[in-house]
């Protein structure tokens, strides 16, 4: 894949792209979650790149997209828009894991006509009816709560919450190695608390597919996805032997679900 960068007054954003000229090709944009980088989707890039145009980034403030100031999902949506326009990609399928799903919905809220489909992996819905006052209160407490953890325990906890399989855990362990503890706590706080300003009712104008690991214990992800499925009738796929990073725990199954979703469009 070709590595590229864009730069705004907030900082740089690194991304990787491989274009495909096949007539039936779709453009798949992979958006990793908090503290993850482009390697979260290694198994998906390898699987889909021979048939589709694929693009993956290190989200601003993550991995090689550092330093970056003024982290917000609105700003991340703007950076993504700049990348897609620079590459001439006018119709895309967004595949967002966790906070990558927040970026996807933030982008859809602003540029919905550019999005042909949305796959959510362990993410949560926009919408005022899903979140209690208690939910929002605890999102704001992330930074000081995480700072209480010793460094090694914090990383071990994140790895265990994100992945069920040893392969998946090794993948996440590698990604977390990019950060010192203080930076990691700040990043997680920005990602969790930064979701609050984005919580508004959103009618997604494209097809949606929800994917959640059976053992996803990250906050109330499973609860929110079941409510999302019930409210909007989006198909919900619960992946056995997988946790928050279901695409890294069970790549073959998740790849098959993404492939079926693409065919359905």
């Amino acid at each position: 894949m070709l590595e590229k960068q864009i730069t705004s007054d907030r900082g740089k954003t690194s991304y990787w792209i491989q274009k495909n000229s096949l007539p039936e090709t779709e453009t798949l944009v992979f958006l990793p979650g908090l503290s993850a980088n482009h390697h979260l989707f290694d198994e998906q890039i390898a699987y889909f790149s021979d048939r589709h145009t694929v693009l993956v980034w290190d989200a601003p403030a993550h991995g090689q997209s550092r330093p970056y100031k003024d982290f917000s999902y609105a700003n991340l949506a703007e950076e993504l828009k700049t990348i897609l326009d620079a590459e001439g990609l006018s119709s895309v399928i967004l595949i967002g894991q966790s906070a990558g799903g927040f970026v996807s919905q933030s982008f859809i809220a602003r540029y919905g006509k550019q999005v042909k489909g949305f796959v959510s992996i362990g993410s949560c819905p926009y919408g005022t009816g899903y979140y209690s006052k208690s939910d929002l209160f605890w999102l704001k407490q992330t930074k000081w709560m995480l700072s209480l953890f010793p460094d090694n325990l914090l990383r071990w906890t994140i790895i265990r919450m994100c992945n069920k399989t040893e392969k998946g855990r090794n993948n996440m362990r590698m990604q977390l190695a990019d950060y010192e503890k203080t930076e990691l706590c700040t990043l997680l706080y920005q990602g969790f608390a930064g979701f609050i300003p984005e919580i508004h009712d959103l009618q997604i104008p494209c097809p949606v597919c929800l994917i959640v690991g059976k053992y996803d214990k990250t906050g109330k992800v499973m609860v929110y996805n079941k409510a999302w499925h019930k409210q909007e009738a989006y198909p919900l796929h619960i992946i056995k032997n997988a946790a928050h990073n279901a695409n890294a725990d069970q790549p073959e199954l998740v790849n098959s679900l993404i492939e079926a979703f693409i065919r359905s469009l």
Side-chain angles (χ1 to χ4, degrees), residues 5-144:
Q5 276 188 356
I6 60 162
T7 303
S8 71
D9 57 2
R10 295 179 288 267
K12 64 179 181 179
T13 303
S14 294
Y15 67 97
W16 293 257
I17 185 168
Q18 183 169 316
K19 291 189 174 181
N20 195 311
S21 59
L22 290 173
E24 299 300 319
T25 191
E26 299 284 1
T27 297
L28 311 182
V29 178
F30 294 94
L31 303 169
L34 277 178
S35 75
N37 59 38
H38 65 285
H39 288 296
L40 178 68
F41 286 111
D42 281 351
E43 297 278 0
Q44 284 67 52
I45 297 299
Y47 183 83
F48 288 105
S49 59
D50 64 336
R51 301 183 303 287
H52 299 286
T53 292
V54 293
L55 185 152
V56 63
W57 73 357
D58 281 359
H62 294 68
Q64 295 184 37
S65 299
R66 295 179 292 169
Y68 187 86
K69 62 182 180 180
D70 298 331
F71 178 99
S72 73
Y73 291 105
N75 287 343
L76 268 60
E78 293 300 321
E79 307 291 5
L80 181 58
K81 174 65 171 172
T82 299
I83 290 170
L84 298 183
D85 289 351
E87 296 294 342
L89 303 174
S90 59
S91 177
V92 300
I93 298 170
L94 300 180
I95 303 167
Q97 189 274 335
S98 193
F102 302 162
V103 177
S104 299
Q105 291 171 87
S106 183
F107 186 89
I108 289 168
R110 293 162 174 83
Y111 311 108
K113 292 181 179 179
Q114 201 165 345
V115 183
K116 188 172 182 179
F118 168 42
V119 178
S120 166
I121 303 173
S123 192
C124 299
Y126 278 26
T128 56
Y130 294 103
Y131 305 98
S132 68
K133 291 183 179 179
S134 174
D135 293 339
L136 303 183
F137 171 82
W138 287 112
L139 284 176
K140 296 177 182 179
Q141 312 309 311
T142 310
K143 190 173 183 179
W144 72 263

Side-chain angles (χ1 to χ4, degrees), residues 226-241:
K226 288 182 177 179
W228 201 2
H229 163 68
K230 182 177 181 180
Q231 177 70 25
E232 302 292 344
Y234 298 142
L236 171 62
H237 305 277
I238 298 176
I239 309 302
K240 295 180 180 179
N241 200 32

